[in-house]
Amino acid sequence: MARGKAVWGRVYYRNTTGEELRSVLTLMGPGGRTVELHCAPAAHDEPGTCETPRVPSSGTPGSATAIAEFMGAGPVEEAPLLLRAGSERAPGARG
């Protein structure tokens, strides 16, 4: 997401598994700048969102990308990765 000189990552979800899940939302900007947010999607059928803080953009519009990963509960080494989704760069964006 971008507005003015600020960028942030946002993911919409609905956890219909009835089980506890974990989520990590990562916003990556130019120059190796990264913001990471850990979310705990509630185990019910209601829609929800997870959003990183808004940070100043130091690059051109579209130069930041976001990755959302949802995994099962339990020890990190054993938790199955259920979904990984990423943003796409805007057409013609460099970075």
Side-chain angles (χ1 to χ4, degrees):
M1 308 282 298
R3 180 171 292 149
K5 299 247 182 212
V7 295
W8 66 99
R10 179 188 297 161
V11 63
Y12 297 92
Y13 63 84
R14 178 175 266 159
N15 180 5
T16 61
T17 66
E19 299 177 16
E20 179 183 341
L21 296 179
R22 287 190 312 244
S23 175
V24 178
L25 178 57
T26 306
L27 175 67
M28 297 166 286
R33 295 180 56 185
T34 302
V35 175
E36 187 175 276
L37 180 67
H38 296 261
C39 303
H44 56 71
D45 194 21
E46 295 299 317
T49 61
C50 182
E51 186 171 297
T52 67
R54 296 174 188 214
V55 295
S57 175
S58 60
T60 60
S63 62
T65 58
I67 304 286
E69 297 176 305
F70 288 83
M71 68 259 348
V76 173
E77 305 82 29
E78 299 173 14
L81 178 63
L82 303 174
L83 173 70
R84 178 179 288 145
S87 63
E88 294 184 26
R89 293 191 187 278
R94 297 177 186 219

Coordinates of all heavy atoms in Angstrom, one line a residue:
M1 N 0.9 -1.1 0.0 CA 0.0 0.0 0.0 C 0.9 1.2 0.0 O 2.0 1.2 0.6 CB -0.9 0.0 1.2 CG -1.7 -1.2 1.5 SD -3.1 -1.5 0.6 CE -4.1 0.0 1.0
A2 N 0.5 2.3 -0.6 CA 1.2 3.5 -0.6 C 0.3 4.7 -0.7 O -0.8 4.7 -1.3 CB 2.1 3.6 -1.9
R3 N 0.6 5.7 0.1 CA -0.1 7.0 0.0 C 0.9 8.1 0.3 O 1.5 8.1 1.3 CB -1.2 7.0 1.1 CG -2.0 8.3 1.0 CD -3.2 8.3 1.9 NE -4.2 7.4 1.3 CZ -5.1 6.7 2.0 NH1 -5.1 6.8 3.3 NH2 -5.9 5.9 1.4
G4 N 1.0 9.0 -0.6 CA 2.0 10.1 -0.5 C 3.4 9.5 -0.5 O 3.7 8.7 -1.3
K5 N 4.1 9.8 0.6 CA 5.5 9.3 0.7 C 5.6 8.1 1.7 O 6.6 7.7 2.1 CB 6.4 10.4 1.2 CG 6.5 11.5 0.2 CD 7.9 11.6 -0.4 CE 7.9 12.8 -1.3 NZ 8.8 12.5 -2.4
A6 N 4.4 7.6 2.1 CA 4.4 6.5 3.1 C 4.0 5.1 2.4 O 3.2 5.1 1.4 CB 3.4 6.7 4.2
V7 N 4.6 4.0 2.8 CA 4.3 2.7 2.4 C 4.0 1.8 3.5 O 4.5 2.0 4.6 CB 5.4 2.1 1.5 CG1 5.6 2.9 0.2 CG2 6.7 2.0 2.2
W8 N 3.2 0.8 3.3 CA 2.9 -0.2 4.4 C 2.4 -1.5 3.7 O 2.0 -1.5 2.6 CB 2.0 0.3 5.4 CG 0.6 0.6 5.0 CD1 -0.5 -0.2 5.1 CD2 0.1 1.8 4.3 NE1 -1.6 0.4 4.6 CE2 -1.3 1.6 4.1 CE3 0.7 2.9 3.8 CZ2 -2.1 2.6 3.4 CZ3 -0.1 3.9 3.2 CH2 -1.4 3.7 3.0
G9 N 2.5 -2.6 4.5 CA 1.9 -3.9 4.0 C 0.6 -4.2 4.7 O 0.5 -3.9 5.9
R10 N -0.3 -4.8 4.0 CA -1.6 -5.2 4.6 C -2.0 -6.5 4.0 O -1.9 -6.7 2.8 CB -2.6 -4.1 4.3 CG -4.0 -4.5 4.9 CD -5.1 -3.5 4.5 NE -4.8 -2.2 5.0 CZ -5.4 -1.1 4.5 NH1 -6.2 -1.2 3.5 NH2 -5.1 0.1 5.0
V11 N -2.5 -7.4 4.8 CA -3.1 -8.6 4.3 C -4.5 -8.8 4.9 O -4.7 -8.5 6.1 CB -2.2 -9.9 4.6 CG1 -2.0 -10.1 6.1 CG2 -2.7 -11.1 3.9
Y12 N -5.4 -9.2 4.1 CA -6.7 -9.6 4.6 C -6.8 -11.1 4.7 O -6.3 -11.8 3.8 CB -7.8 -9.1 3.6 CG -7.8 -7.6 3.4 CD1 -7.1 -7.0 2.4 CD2 -8.6 -6.8 4.2 CE1 -7.1 -5.6 2.2 CE2 -8.7 -5.5 4.0 CZ -7.9 -4.9 3.0 OH -7.9 -3.5 2.9
Y13 N -7.5 -11.6 5.7 CA -7.5 -13.1 5.9 C -8.9 -13.5 6.5 O -9.6 -12.6 7.1 CB -6.4 -13.6 6.8 CG -6.4 -13.0 8.2 CD1 -7.2 -13.6 9.2 CD2 -5.7 -11.9 8.5 CE1 -7.3 -13.1 10.4 CE2 -5.8 -11.4 9.8 CZ -6.6 -12.0 10.7 OH -6.6 -11.4 12.0
R14 N -9.1 -14.7 6.4 CA -10.3 -15.4 7.1 C -9.8 -16.8 7.5 O -9.5 -17.6 6.6 CB -11.5 -15.4 6.2 CG -12.7 -16.1 6.8 CD -13.9 -16.1 6.0 NE -14.6 -14.9 6.4 CZ -15.5 -14.3 5.7 NH1 -15.8 -14.7 4.5 NH2 -16.2 -13.3 6.2
N15 N -9.7 -17.0 8.8 CA -9.2 -18.3 9.3 C -10.4 -19.2 9.6 O -11.0 -19.2 10.6 CB -8.4 -18.1 10.6 CG -7.9 -19.4 11.1 OD1 -8.0 -20.4 10.5 ND2 -7.2 -19.3 12.3
T16 N -10.7 -20.1 8.6 CA -11.8 -21.0 8.7 C -11.4 -22.4 9.2 O -12.2 -23.3 9.3 CB -12.6 -21.2 7.4 OG1 -11.7 -21.7 6.4 CG2 -13.1 -19.8 6.9
T17 N -10.1 -22.5 9.6 CA -9.6 -23.8 10.0 C -10.1 -24.2 11.4 O -10.1 -25.4 11.7 CB -8.1 -23.8 10.1 OG1 -7.6 -22.9 11.1 CG2 -7.5 -23.4 8.7
G18 N -10.5 -23.3 12.2 CA -10.8 -23.6 13.6 C -9.6 -23.8 14.5 O -9.8 -24.2 15.6
E19 N -8.4 -23.7 13.9 CA -7.2 -23.9 14.6 C -6.4 -22.6 14.7 O -6.6 -21.7 13.9 CB -6.3 -24.9 13.9 CG -7.0 -26.3 13.8 CD -6.2 -27.3 13.0 OE1 -4.9 -27.0 12.8 OE2 -6.7 -28.3 12.6
E20 N -5.5 -22.6 15.7 CA -4.6 -21.4 15.9 C -3.6 -21.4 14.7 O -3.1 -22.4 14.3 CB -3.9 -21.5 17.2 CG -2.9 -20.4 17.4 CD -2.1 -20.6 18.7 OE1 -2.5 -21.4 19.6 OE2 -1.0 -20.0 18.8
L21 N -3.4 -20.2 14.2 CA -2.5 -20.0 13.1 C -1.5 -18.9 13.5 O -1.8 -18.1 14.4 CB -3.1 -19.6 11.8 CG -4.1 -20.7 11.2 CD1 -4.7 -20.1 9.9 CD2 -3.3 -21.9 10.9
R22 N -0.4 -18.8 12.9 CA 0.5 -17.7 13.0 C 0.7 -17.1 11.6 O 0.6 -17.7 10.6 CB 1.9 -18.2 13.6 CG 1.8 -18.5 15.0 CD 3.2 -18.8 15.5 NE 4.0 -19.6 14.7 CZ 4.5 -20.8 15.0 NH1 4.3 -21.3 16.2 NH2 5.1 -21.5 14.1
S23 N 1.0 -15.8 11.6 CA 1.3 -15.1 10.4 C 2.4 -14.1 10.6 O 2.6 -13.5 11.6 CB 0.0 -14.4 10.0 OG 0.2 -13.6 8.8
V24 N 3.2 -14.0 9.5 CA 4.2 -12.9 9.5 C 4.0 -12.1 8.2 O 3.9 -12.7 7.1 CB 5.6 -13.6 9.4 CG1 6.7 -12.5 9.3 CG2 5.9 -14.5 10.6
L25 N 3.9 -10.8 8.4 CA 3.8 -9.9 7.3 C 5.1 -9.1 7.2 O 5.5 -8.4 8.2 CB 2.6 -9.0 7.5 CG 2.3 -7.9 6.4 CD1 2.2 -8.5 5.0 CD2 1.1 -7.1 6.8
T26 N 5.8 -9.1 6.1 CA 7.1 -8.5 5.9 C 7.0 -7.5 4.8 O 6.5 -7.8 3.7 CB 8.2 -9.5 5.5 OG1 8.2 -10.5 6.5 CG2 9.5 -8.8 5.5
L27 N 7.4 -6.2 5.1 CA 7.4 -5.2 4.1 C 8.9 -4.9 3.8 O 9.7 -4.6 4.7 CB 6.8 -3.9 4.6 CG 6.8 -2.7 3.7 CD1 6.0 -2.8 2.5 CD2 6.4 -1.4 4.5
M28 N 9.3 -5.0 2.5 CA 10.7 -4.8 2.1 C 10.8 -3.6 1.2 O 10.1 -3.6 0.2 CB 11.2 -6.1 1.4 CG 11.2 -7.3 2.3 SD 11.4 -8.8 1.5 CE 9.8 -9.0 0.7
G29 N 11.6 -2.7 1.5 CA 11.8 -1.5 0.8 C 13.2 -1.5 0.1 O 14.0 -2.4 0.3
P30 N 13.5 -0.4 -0.6 CA 14.8 -0.3 -1.3 C 15.9 -0.2 -0.2 O 15.6 0.3 0.9 CB 14.7 0.9 -2.1 CG 13.4 1.6 -1.7 CD 12.6 0.7 -0.9
G31 N 17.1 -0.6 -0.6 CA 18.2 -0.5 0.3 C 18.2 -1.5 1.5 O 18.9 -1.3 2.5
G32 N 17.4 -2.6 1.3 CA 17.4 -3.6 2.4 C 16.6 -3.2 3.6 O 16.7 -4.0 4.6
R33 N 15.8 -2.2 3.6 CA 15.0 -1.8 4.7 C 13.8 -2.8 4.8 O 13.2 -3.1 3.8 CB 14.5 -0.4 4.6 CG 15.6 0.6 4.6 CD 15.1 2.0 4.4 NE 14.1 2.3 5.5 CZ 13.4 3.3 5.5 NH1 13.5 4.3 4.7 NH2 12.5 3.5 6.5
T34 N 13.6 -3.3 6.0 CA 12.5 -4.3 6.2 C 11.8 -4.0 7.5 O 12.3 -3.7 8.5 CB 13.2 -5.7 6.3 OG1 13.9 -6.0 5.2 CG2 12.1 -6.8 6.5
V35 N 10.4 -4.2 7.4 CA 9.6 -4.1 8.6 C 8.8 -5.5 8.7 O 8.3 -5.9 7.7 CB 8.5 -3.0 8.5 CG1 7.6 -3.0 9.6 CG2 9.2 -1.6 8.3
E36 N 8.8 -6.1 9.8 CA 8.2 -7.4 10.0 C 7.2 -7.3 11.1 O 7.5 -6.8 12.2 CB 9.3 -8.4 10.3 CG 8.7 -9.9 10.3 CD 9.8 -10.9 10.5 OE1 10.4 -11.2 9.5 OE2 10.1 -11.3 11.6
L37 N 6.0 -7.9 10.9 CA 4.9 -7.9 11.9 C 4.4 -9.3 12.1 O 4.1 -10.0 11.1 CB 3.8 -6.9 11.4 CG 2.6 -6.8 12.4 CD1 3.1 -6.1 13.7 CD2 1.5 -6.1 11.7
H38 N 4.3 -9.8 13.3 CA 3.8 -11.1 13.6 C 2.3 -10.9 14.0 O 2.0 -10.1 14.9 CB 4.5 -11.7 14.7 CG 5.9 -12.0 14.3 ND1 6.4 -13.3 13.9 CD2 7.0 -11.2 14.3 CE1 7.6 -13.2 13.6 NE2 8.1 -12.0 13.8
C39 N 1.4 -11.7 13.4 CA 0.0 -11.6 13.6 C -0.5 -13.0 14.1 O 0.1 -14.0 13.8 CB -0.8 -11.2 12.4 SG -0.3 -9.7 11.6
A40 N -1.6 -13.0 14.8 CA -2.2 -14.2 15.3 C -3.7 -14.2 14.8 O -4.6 -13.8 15.5 CB -2.1 -14.4 16.8
P41 N -3.9 -14.8 13.6 CA -5.3 -14.8 13.1 C -6.2 -15.6 14.0 O -5.9 -16.8 14.4 CB -5.2 -15.5 11.7 CG -3.8 -15.3 11.3 CD -3.0 -15.3 12.6
A42 N -7.3 -15.0 14.5 CA -8.2 -15.7 15.4 C -8.8 -16.9 14.7 O -9.0 -16.9 13.5 CB -9.3 -14.7 15.8
A43 N -9.1 -17.9 15.4 CA -9.7 -19.2 14.9 C -11.2 -19.1 14.8 O -11.9 -19.8 15.5 CB -9.3 -20.4 15.8
H44 N -11.7 -18.2 13.9 CA -13.1 -18.1 13.6 C -13.3 -17.6 12.2 O -12.3 -17.2 11.5 CB -13.8 -17.3 14.6 CG -13.3 -15.9 14.8 ND1 -13.4 -14.9 13.8 CD2 -12.6 -15.3 15.7 CE1 -12.9 -13.8 14.2 NE2 -12.3 -14.0 15.4
D45 N -14.5 -17.6 11.7 CA -14.8 -17.4 10.3 C -14.9 -15.9 10.0 O -15.4 -15.5 9.0 CB -16.0 -18.1 9.9 CG -16.2 -18.2 8.4 OD1 -15.2 -18.0 7.7 OD2 -17.4 -18.4 8.0
E46 N -14.6 -15.0 11.0 CA -14.7 -13.6 10.7 C -13.5 -13.0 10.0 O -12.4 -13.4 10.2 CB -14.8 -12.8 12.1 CG -16.1 -13.2 12.8 CD -17.4 -12.8 12.1 OE1 -17.4 -11.8 11.4 OE2 -18.3 -13.7 12.1
P47 N -13.7 -12.1 9.0 CA -12.6 -11.6 8.3 C -11.7 -10.7 9.2 O -12.2 -10.1 10.2 CB -13.2 -10.8 7.2 CG -14.6 -10.5 7.6 CD -15.0 -11.6 8.5
G48 N -10.4 -10.6 8.9 CA -9.5 -9.8 9.7 C -8.4 -9.2 8.8 O -8.3 -9.6 7.6
T49 N -7.6 -8.3 9.4 CA -6.5 -7.7 8.6 C -5.3 -7.7 9.6 O -5.4 -7.7 10.8 CB -6.8 -6.3 8.2 OG1 -7.0 -5.5 9.3 CG2 -7.9 -6.2 7.2
C50 N -4.2 -7.7 8.9 CA -2.9 -7.5 9.6 C -2.2 -6.4 8.8 O -2.1 -6.5 7.6 CB -2.1 -8.8 9.6 SG -0.6 -8.8 10.5
E51 N -1.6 -5.4 9.5 CA -1.0 -4.3 8.7 C 0.3 -3.8 9.4 O 0.3 -3.7 10.6 CB -2.1 -3.2 8.7 CG -1.7 -2.0 7.9 CD -2.8 -1.0 7.7 OE1 -3.8 -1.4 7.1 OE2 -2.7 0.1 8.2
T52 N 1.3 -3.6 8.6 CA 2.6 -3.1 9.2 C 2.4 -1.6 9.5 O 1.5 -1.0 8.9 CB 3.8 -3.3 8.2 OG1 3.5 -2.5 7.1 CG2 4.0 -4.7 7.8
P53 N 3.3 -1.1 10.3 CA 3.2 0.4 10.5 C 3.6 1.1 9.1 O 4.3 0.5 8.3 CB 4.4 0.6 11.5 CG 4.6 -0.7 12.1 CD 4.3 -1.7 11.2
R54 N 3.1 2.3 9.0 CA 3.4 3.0 7.8 C 4.8 3.6 8.0 O 5.1 4.2 9.1 CB 2.4 4.1 7.6 CG 1.0 3.6 7.3 CD 0.0 4.6 7.2 NE -1.3 3.9 7.1 CZ -2.3 4.4 6.5 NH1 -2.3 5.5 5.8 NH2 -3.5 3.7 6.4
V55 N 5.6 3.5 7.0 CA 7.0 4.0 7.0 C 7.3 4.9 5.8 O 6.6 4.8 4.8 CB 8.0 2.9 7.1 CG1 7.9 2.1 8.3 CG2 7.9 2.0 5.9
P56 N 8.2 5.9 6.0 CA 8.5 6.7 4.8 C 9.1 5.9 3.7 O 9.9 5.0 4.0 CB 9.5 7.7 5.4 CG 9.4 7.6 6.9 CD 8.9 6.2 7.2
S57 N 8.7 6.2 2.5 CA 9.3 5.5 1.4 C 10.5 6.3 0.9 O 10.5 7.5 0.7 CB 8.3 5.4 0.2 OG 8.9 4.9 -0.9
S58 N 11.6 5.5 0.7 CA 12.8 6.2 0.2 C 13.1 5.9 -1.2 O 14.1 6.2 -1.8 CB 14.0 5.7 1.1 OG 14.2 4.3 1.0
G59 N 12.2 5.2 -1.9 CA 12.4 4.9 -3.3 C 11.2 5.4 -4.1 O 10.4 6.2 -3.7
T60 N 11.2 4.9 -5.4 CA 10.2 5.3 -6.3 C 8.9 4.6 -6.0 O 8.9 3.6 -5.3 CB 10.6 5.0 -7.7 OG1 10.8 3.6 -7.8 CG2 11.9 5.7 -8.1
P61 N 7.7 5.1 -6.4 CA 6.5 4.4 -6.2 C 6.6 3.0 -6.7 O 7.1 2.8 -7.8 CB 5.5 5.2 -6.9 CG 6.1 6.6 -7.0 CD 7.5 6.4 -7.1
G62 N 6.1 2.0 -6.0 CA 6.2 0.6 -6.4 C 7.5 -0.1 -6.1 O 7.7 -1.2 -6.4
S63 N 8.4 0.6 -5.4 CA 9.7 0.0 -5.1 C 9.7 -0.9 -3.9 O 10.6 -1.6 -3.6 CB 10.8 1.0 -5.0 OG 10.5 1.9 -3.9
A64 N 8.6 -0.9 -3.1 CA 8.5 -1.7 -1.9 C 7.7 -3.0 -2.3 O 6.8 -2.9 -3.1 CB 7.8 -1.0 -0.8
T65 N 7.9 -4.1 -1.6 CA 7.1 -5.3 -1.8 C 6.8 -5.8 -0.4 O 7.4 -5.5 0.6 CB 7.9 -6.4 -2.6 OG1 9.1 -6.7 -1.9 CG2 8.3 -5.9 -4.0
A66 N 5.7 -6.6 -0.4 CA 5.2 -7.2 0.9 C 5.1 -8.7 0.7 O 4.6 -9.2 -0.4 CB 4.0 -6.6 1.3
I67 N 5.3 -9.5 1.7 CA 5.2 -11.0 1.7 C 4.4 -11.3 3.0 O 4.7 -10.9 4.1 CB 6.5 -11.7 1.8 CG1 7.4 -11.3 0.6 CG2 6.3 -13.2 1.8 CD1 7.0 -11.9 -0.7
A68 N 3.3 -12.1 2.8 CA 2.5 -12.6 3.9 C 2.7 -14.1 4.0 O 2.5 -14.8 3.0 CB 1.1 -12.2 3.8
E69 N 3.0 -14.6 5.1 CA 3.1 -16.1 5.3 C 2.2 -16.5 6.5 O 2.3 -15.9 7.5 CB 4.6 -16.5 5.6 CG 5.5 -16.1 4.5 CD 7.0 -16.4 4.9 OE1 7.4 -15.9 5.9 OE2 7.6 -17.2 4.1
F70 N 1.5 -17.6 6.2 CA 0.6 -18.1 7.3 C 1.1 -19.6 7.5 O 1.3 -20.3 6.6 CB -0.9 -18.2 6.8 CG -1.5 -16.8 6.8 CD1 -1.3 -16.0 5.7 CD2 -2.2 -16.4 7.8 CE1 -1.9 -14.7 5.7 CE2 -2.8 -15.1 7.8 CZ -2.6 -14.3 6.8
M71 N 1.3 -19.9 8.8 CA 1.7 -21.2 9.2 C 0.9 -21.7 10.4 O 0.3 -21.0 11.1 CB 3.2 -21.2 9.5 CG 3.6 -20.5 10.7 SD 4.4 -18.8 10.6 CE 4.7 -18.4 9.0
G72 N 1.0 -23.1 10.5 CA 0.3 -23.7 11.6 C 0.9 -23.4 13.0 O 2.0 -22.8 13.0
A73 N 0.2 -23.7 14.0 CA 0.8 -23.5 15.4 C 1.8 -24.6 15.7 O 2.0 -25.6 15.0 CB -0.4 -23.5 16.4
G74 N 2.4 -24.4 16.9 CA 3.4 -25.4 17.3 C 4.8 -24.9 17.2 O 5.0 -23.7 16.8
P75 N 5.8 -25.7 17.5 CA 7.2 -25.3 17.4 C 7.5 -24.8 16.0 O 7.0 -25.4 15.0 CB 8.0 -26.5 17.7 CG 7.0 -27.4 18.5 CD 5.7 -27.1 18.0
V76 N 8.2 -23.7 15.8 CA 8.5 -23.1 14.5 C 9.1 -24.1 13.6 O 8.8 -24.2 12.4 CB 9.5 -21.9 14.7 CG1 9.9 -21.4 13.4 CG2 8.8 -20.8 15.5
E77 N 10.0 -25.0 14.1 CA 10.7 -26.0 13.2 C 9.7 -27.0 12.6 O 9.9 -27.6 11.6 CB 11.8 -26.7 14.0 CG 12.8 -25.9 14.6 CD 12.3 -25.3 15.9 OE1 11.5 -25.9 16.7 OE2 12.8 -24.2 16.3
E78 N 8.5 -27.2 13.3 CA 7.6 -28.2 12.9 C 6.3 -27.7 12.3 O 5.5 -28.4 11.7 CB 7.2 -29.1 14.1 CG 8.4 -29.8 14.7 CD 8.0 -30.5 16.0 OE1 6.8 -30.6 16.3 OE2 9.0 -30.9 16.8
A79 N 6.1 -26.4 12.4 CA 4.8 -25.8 11.9 C 4.8 -25.8 10.4 O 5.7 -25.3 9.7 CB 4.7 -24.3 12.4
P80 N 3.8 -26.3 9.8 CA 3.7 -26.3 8.3 C 3.4 -25.0 7.8 O 2.5 -24.2 8.3 CB 2.5 -27.3 8.1 CG 1.7 -27.2 9.3 CD 2.6 -26.9 10.4
L81 N 4.0 -24.6 6.7 CA 3.7 -23.4 6.0 C 2.5 -23.6 5.2 O 2.4 -24.6 4.3 CB 4.9 -23.0 5.0 CG 4.7 -21.7 4.2 CD1 4.5 -20.5 5.1 CD2 5.8 -21.5 3.2
L82 N 1.4 -22.9 5.4 CA 0.2 -23.1 4.7 C 0.0 -22.2 3.5 O -0.7 -22.6 2.6 CB -1.0 -22.8 5.7 CG -0.9 -23.7 7.0 CD1 -2.0 -23.3 8.0 CD2 -1.1 -25.2 6.7
L83 N 0.5 -21.0 3.6 CA 0.3 -20.0 2.5 C 1.4 -19.0 2.5 O 1.8 -18.5 3.6 CB -1.0 -19.3 2.7 CG -1.3 -18.2 1.7 CD1 -1.6 -18.7 0.3 CD2 -2.5 -17.4 2.1
R84 N 1.9 -18.7 1.3 CA 2.9 -17.6 1.2 C 2.3 -16.8 0.0 O 2.2 -17.3 -1.1 CB 4.3 -18.0 0.9 CG 5.3 -16.9 0.7 CD 6.7 -17.3 0.4 NE 7.2 -17.8 1.7 CZ 8.1 -18.9 1.8 NH1 8.4 -19.5 0.7 NH2 8.5 -19.2 2.9
A85 N 2.1 -15.5 0.2 CA 1.6 -14.6 -0.9 C 2.4 -13.3 -0.9 O 2.8 -12.8 0.2 CB 0.1 -14.3 -0.6
G86 N 2.7 -12.8 -2.1 CA 3.5 -11.6 -2.2 C 2.9 -10.6 -3.1 O 2.0 -10.9 -4.0
S87 N 3.3 -9.4 -2.9 CA 2.8 -8.3 -3.8 C 3.6 -8.3 -5.1 O 4.6 -8.9 -5.2 CB 3.0 -6.9 -3.1 OG 4.3 -6.7 -2.9
E88 N 3.0 -7.7 -6.1 CA 3.7 -7.6 -7.4 C 4.2 -6.1 -7.5 O 3.5 -5.2 -7.1 CB 2.8 -7.9 -8.5 CG 2.4 -9.4 -8.5 CD 1.6 -9.7 -9.7 OE1 1.7 -9.1 -10.7 OE2 0.8 -10.7 -9.6
R89 N 5.3 -5.9 -8.2 CA 5.7 -4.6 -8.5 C 4.8 -4.0 -9.5 O 4.3 -4.7 -10.4 CB 7.2 -4.6 -9.0 CG 8.2 -5.0 -8.0 CD 9.6 -4.8 -8.5 NE 10.6 -5.3 -7.6 CZ 11.0 -4.7 -6.5 NH1 10.5 -3.6 -6.2 NH2 11.9 -5.3 -5.8
A90 N 4.7 -2.7 -9.4 CA 3.9 -2.0 -10.4 C 4.6 -2.1 -11.8 O 5.8 -2.1 -11.8 CB 3.7 -0.5 -10.0
P91 N 3.8 -2.1 -12.9 CA 4.4 -2.2 -14.2 C 5.4 -1.0 -14.4 O 5.1 0.1 -14.1 CB 3.2 -2.1 -15.2 CG 2.1 -2.5 -14.4 CD 2.4 -2.1 -12.9
G92 N 6.6 -1.4 -14.8 CA 7.6 -0.4 -15.1 C 8.4 0.1 -13.9 O 9.3 0.9 -14.0
A93 N 8.1 -0.5 -12.7 CA 8.8 -0.1 -11.5 C 10.2 -0.7 -11.5 O 10.4 -1.8 -11.9 CB 8.0 -0.5 -10.2
R94 N 11.1 0.0 -10.9 CA 12.5 -0.5 -10.8 C 12.9 -0.6 -9.4 O 12.4 0.2 -8.5 CB 13.5 0.4 -11.5 CG 13.2 0.5 -13.0 CD 14.1 1.5 -13.7 NE 13.7 1.6 -15.0 CZ 14.6 1.7 -16.0 NH1 15.8 1.7 -15.8 NH2 14.1 1.7 -17.3
G95 N 13.8 -1.4 -9.0 CA 14.3 -1.5 -7.6 C 14.5 -2.9 -7.2 O 14.4 -3.9 -7.7

